[in-house]
Amino acid sequence: MVNHGRSNGCLTCKRRRVKCDEARPNCHSCQRLGLHCGGYRAKPTTFKFKDQSHKFGTEIFPKKACPSPRPLAEPDTSVPFFLQHYAVMGRDMQSASGFFELLVPVYSSQPQKSALSLAVSAIASEVISLWRHNSFGAPQEAYLQAVKCLRSTIQDPNERGKPATVLAVLSLQFYENLAAIYDRRPASRVHHDGAISLLPFAKSDFTNRLVSGYLRKYIFHSEMSSAIRQNRPLQSIVRSSFTESNDSTTEPANPSFLLDSIGASVAELQASYFQRANHDNPMLSEQHEHRDWRTEAQHINEQLLAWARSVPEYWRPRKLTSGQDIEPLIPTYESVCEVYPSCQIGTIWNLWRVQRLLLIKIILSSDEISARDEDFVSCKQALQELLDSVCHSVPFYLGNQAGPLSLANFADPAVFLPIDLLPADDVLGSGNETNWNEHRSHIIAQGPWHILSPLSRVVTFFLEDHGPLMKTFLRPGQYEWIREQFLRVTILLRIPLADTENADGVSHQFNSSVQGSVDTRVENLARKVRKSAVFMSGP
């Protein structure tokens, strides 16, 4: 293996594992090949948090409306690390779902012992412990203090509807989601329902109207996602609140919110369709008897296709193929990778793909459809294309990373990502202020989490009703590749397989003679992840 030692070469040459002539400002090797020269690292990478609230727009947070922000740097580096790598990097209001994008500005205006501050501290300490190869622990003092403080805050009529209070509740649900995944158990919905119960009180003044509008849309997004995962309709209070938010905000709906509106229709149709077999309720059966499920699914599918045509041009993925475009060490499916402007935008695309897959499932399970039907043929082709796109997004999120993630990954020249051989303008867009190293860091930090949900969704998709039939539509080995990548993500995130981990709790290496048993365990883990992540954002 090549050993670069303490080479002072540029970052691009280090990642390509070739000799660098160390020319300044850009090395001649990169210039000759037309590659983006990553520059030179003058000193070891350190984690530095800086307030980037200005990126979220002064029209959302007028200076006169906010108290003087407290210093964000704290003795414990976990909070700055968490906010910088998860709430700032890779986030913008054009692709906002409404939670992380608001967390830093609102958090910075809160006192140290507020419910939101304590909730963020609880999350941050657990997240950094995972990067330091510690286990996700039992609820610690900060979490218990946050719950206690939140109960007191909600008793105050002047506080219960404020954005900071709602964000504190949503942060506690985020903590619960993480704990459920590492405990491999269903997530409690207590904080999710708590956030919903606060919606009637969130009648904000003009200053906080837009902030509250974004939070309502995030709660709608979470409710829509969980409704799809649980085969149930949305709670009416959430739907009406979302409509009210759209009516009251002066900001145009971003593509993420528009997709959520269509996703609500997917959730409602799916819930109705899979409840139609409930013969214990004659009125329900009679109500569903004459519905044209196939036509309804096709209509919503057309809305999703129209959404895809309307997104900003820079949202569209750039397709890379094998050869010079992709580092050979990066695992790909059919030697193709699709690169996105951010993890968040890539995940919105995967959410769109999963919604279309659910509609295709309804169409293909229709009683009157046959293998010679034109719709059958088009659905089969669309299913293959959608699954291909999910597979092609995996390298973007994971690069060549294979072992459990650690803080060293951020500065490791052996970590390759598909974006490394692309000019910055091709990935970030001309004039984008995002720092290239920050862009890489956000993929390393967030990538495995963003692809965990789509991969677990696809694995379980083929384990459900009509799934085995649809699995026959795939190319030989494709499902196995998807399952393998899901297992790879669990290794990166240190999510153990039950009854298979070693003393460190992370080993997934097995004897080939028990491979069938391992595959079953992986599929069971995917089911558990779905139940654990039921209230998380994404597919």
Side-chain angles (χ1 to χ4, degrees):
M1 180 178 293
V2 177
N3 179 12
H4 292 284
R6 296 184 176 275
S7 168
N8 293 319
C10 77
L11 296 178
T12 301
C13 287
K14 282 185 177 182
R15 293 176 193 127
R16 294 177 60 228
R17 298 187 177 183
V18 299
K19 182 175 177 58
C20 179
D21 58 27
E22 302 182 25
R24 308 286 175 140
N26 299 316
C27 80
H28 295 153
S29 297
C30 290
Q31 294 181 56
R32 185 177 68 257
L33 295 174
L35 301 177
H36 167 74
C37 182
Y40 303 90
R41 180 171 290 120
K43 56 183 179 180
T45 300
T46 57
F47 301 114
K48 180 181 180 182
F49 187 84
K50 58 181 179 180
D51 185 0
Q52 296 190 352
S53 303
H54 65 280
K55 289 188 176 181
F56 300 97
T58 55
E59 72 281 0
I60 297 179
F61 300 97
K63 291 182 179 179
K64 63 179 180 181
C66 294
S68 299
R70 61 162 179 197
L72 290 177
E74 302 183 3
D76 182 0
T77 59
S78 64
V79 170
F81 174 84
F82 170 70
L83 292 178
Q84 181 72 358
H85 287 80
Y86 293 88
V88 174
M89 292 180 179
R91 310 284 182 181
D92 64 70
M93 300 310 291
Q94 293 301 311
S95 58
S97 60
F99 173 64
F100 279 112
E101 298 79 13
L102 305 180
L103 195 56
V104 171
V106 177
Y107 169 87
S108 66
S109 69
Q110 296 299 297
Q112 291 285 352
K113 295 300 181 180
S114 69
L116 178 58
S117 297
L118 292 169
V120 169
S121 179
I123 297 170
S125 62
E126 293 294 354
V127 167
I128 195 103
S129 73
L130 293 172
W131 282 94
R132 291 170 175 164
H133 288 195
N134 298 320
S135 299
F136 197 102
Q140 84 279 195
E141 189 63 25
Y143 175 86
L144 299 176
Q145 287 182 359
V147 172
K148 181 179 179 180
C149 182
L150 181 60
R151 288 173 179 166
S152 175
T153 301
I154 291 175
Q155 298 304 313
D156 185 345
N158 296 321
E159 296 292 328
R160 65 169 64 113
K162 289 187 176 180
T165 305
V166 179
L167 272 172
V169 178
L170 295 174
S171 297
L172 292 176
Q173 182 63 56
F174 184 85
Y175 182 99
E176 162 62 16
N177 296 339
L178 291 179
I181 287 176
Y182 283 96
D183 291 342
R184 302 185 299 281
R185 60 170 174 80
S188 167
R189 59 179 299 143
V190 60
H191 299 304
H192 175 76
D193 288 341
I196 293 174
S197 70
L198 292 178
L199 288 173
F201 303 100
K203 307 291 185 182
S204 57
D205 56 26
F206 179 79
T207 299
N208 290 325
R209 186 177 66 186
L210 292 178
V211 181
S212 293
Y214 278 109
L215 288 175
R216 288 171 184 269
K217 289 172 179 175
Y218 176 77
I219 294 173
F220 180 87
H221 171 80
S222 298
E223 174 67 9
M224 179 273 298
S225 298
S226 61
I228 288 179
R229 288 166 178 161
Q230 295 179 319
N231 274 348
R232 62 171 177 82
L234 277 72
Q235 299 184 56
S236 57
I237 184 176
V238 180
R239 181 182 282 279
S240 61
S241 180
F242 181 76
T243 303
E244 177 185 335
S245 175
N246 286 339
D247 292 340
S248 64
T249 183
T250 58
E251 288 293 304
N254 68 23
S256 178
F257 299 147
L258 294 174
L259 181 60
D260 286 346
S261 298
I262 305 173
S265 299
V266 176
E268 299 288 350
L269 180 66
Q270 176 186 250
S272 298
Y273 182 77
F274 289 102
Q275 288 173 359
R276 79 196 191 286
N278 184 0
H279 300 296
D280 296 333
N281 188 335
M283 293 184 61
L284 184 63
S285 298
E286 183 178 351
Q287 176 186 353
H288 291 167
E289 183 178 357
H290 301 293
R291 288 185 66 173
D292 189 345
W293 307 100
R294 185 171 164 183
T295 299
E296 289 186 44
Q298 289 169 333
H299 176 68
I300 299 174
N301 187 55
E302 288 299 324
Q303 295 179 39
L304 290 172
L305 291 172
W307 176 90
R309 291 191 294 268
S310 70
V311 299
E313 191 61 32
Y314 78 94
W315 273 43
R316 304 187 186 282
R318 173 167 176 174
K319 183 171 289 189
L320 306 179
T321 56
S322 61
Q324 187 175 351
D325 286 344
I326 303 177
E327 164 61 45
L329 295 177
I330 297 177
T332 60
Y333 180 72
E334 292 198 319
S335 302
V336 176
C337 168
E338 292 185 347
V339 174
Y340 300 86
S342 68
C343 289
Q344 186 161 274
I345 291 175
T347 300
I348 293 172
W349 277 111
N350 277 333
L351 177 58
W352 174 83
R353 291 169 186 134
V354 167
Q355 291 176 2
R356 290 195 62 205
L357 286 173
L358 296 175
L359 295 174
I360 288 173
K361 182 177 182 178
I362 292 175
I363 296 172
L364 290 176
S365 59
S366 175
D367 295 334
E368 57 272 9
I369 199 167
S370 69
R372 292 188 296 272
D373 194 310
E374 183 179 336
D375 287 342
F376 183 92
V377 176
S378 62
C379 283
K380 183 177 178 180
Q381 179 181 352
L383 184 144
Q384 181 66 75
E385 292 174 352
L386 292 168
L387 265 295
D388 285 349
S389 293
V390 173
C391 293
H392 296 160
S393 72
V394 173
F396 165 75
Y397 292 107
L398 304 182
N400 69 328
Q401 299 176 102
L405 295 177
S406 70
L407 294 173
N409 288 44
F410 292 104
D412 187 352
V415 172
F416 298 95
L417 298 176
I419 65 168
D420 288 334
L421 296 181
L422 290 176
D425 287 351
D426 284 7
V427 178
L428 305 176
S430 179
N432 193 300
E433 297 180 358
T434 303
N435 177 280
W436 181 260
N437 287 330
E438 285 188 3
H439 186 63
R440 291 191 84 255
S441 294
H442 109 269
I443 297 175
I444 293 173
Q446 300 177 27
W449 284 108
H450 276 275
I451 197 59
L452 175 69
S453 185
L455 288 176
S456 63
R457 171 67 269 192
V458 172
V459 170
T460 57
F461 182 80
F462 293 106
L463 303 176
E464 300 167 347
D465 291 343
H466 308 287
L469 169 64
M470 288 182 283
K471 189 190 295 186
T472 64
F473 300 163
L474 301 180
R475 300 185 188 88
Q478 185 169 17
Y479 173 75
E480 290 73 19
W481 189 88
I482 294 170
R483 187 172 56 197
E484 178 183 327
Q485 296 309 305
F486 170 73
L487 178 60
R488 179 183 167 206
V489 172
T490 65
I491 294 172
L492 290 172
L493 296 176
R494 305 182 71 252
I495 302 172
L497 278 171
D499 304 323
T500 58
E501 62 268 22
N502 62 10
D504 296 328
V506 298
S507 176
H508 296 280
Q509 303 300 321
F510 308 101
N511 187 295
S512 59
S513 64
V514 294
Q515 186 60 50
S517 175
V518 171
D519 294 341
T520 300
R521 290 192 181 106
V522 173
E523 292 171 348
N524 288 337
L525 180 59
R527 290 189 179 100
K528 291 180 179 180
V529 166
R530 298 307 300 167
K531 294 179 180 179
S532 301
V534 66
F535 300 109
M536 293 186 76
S537 176

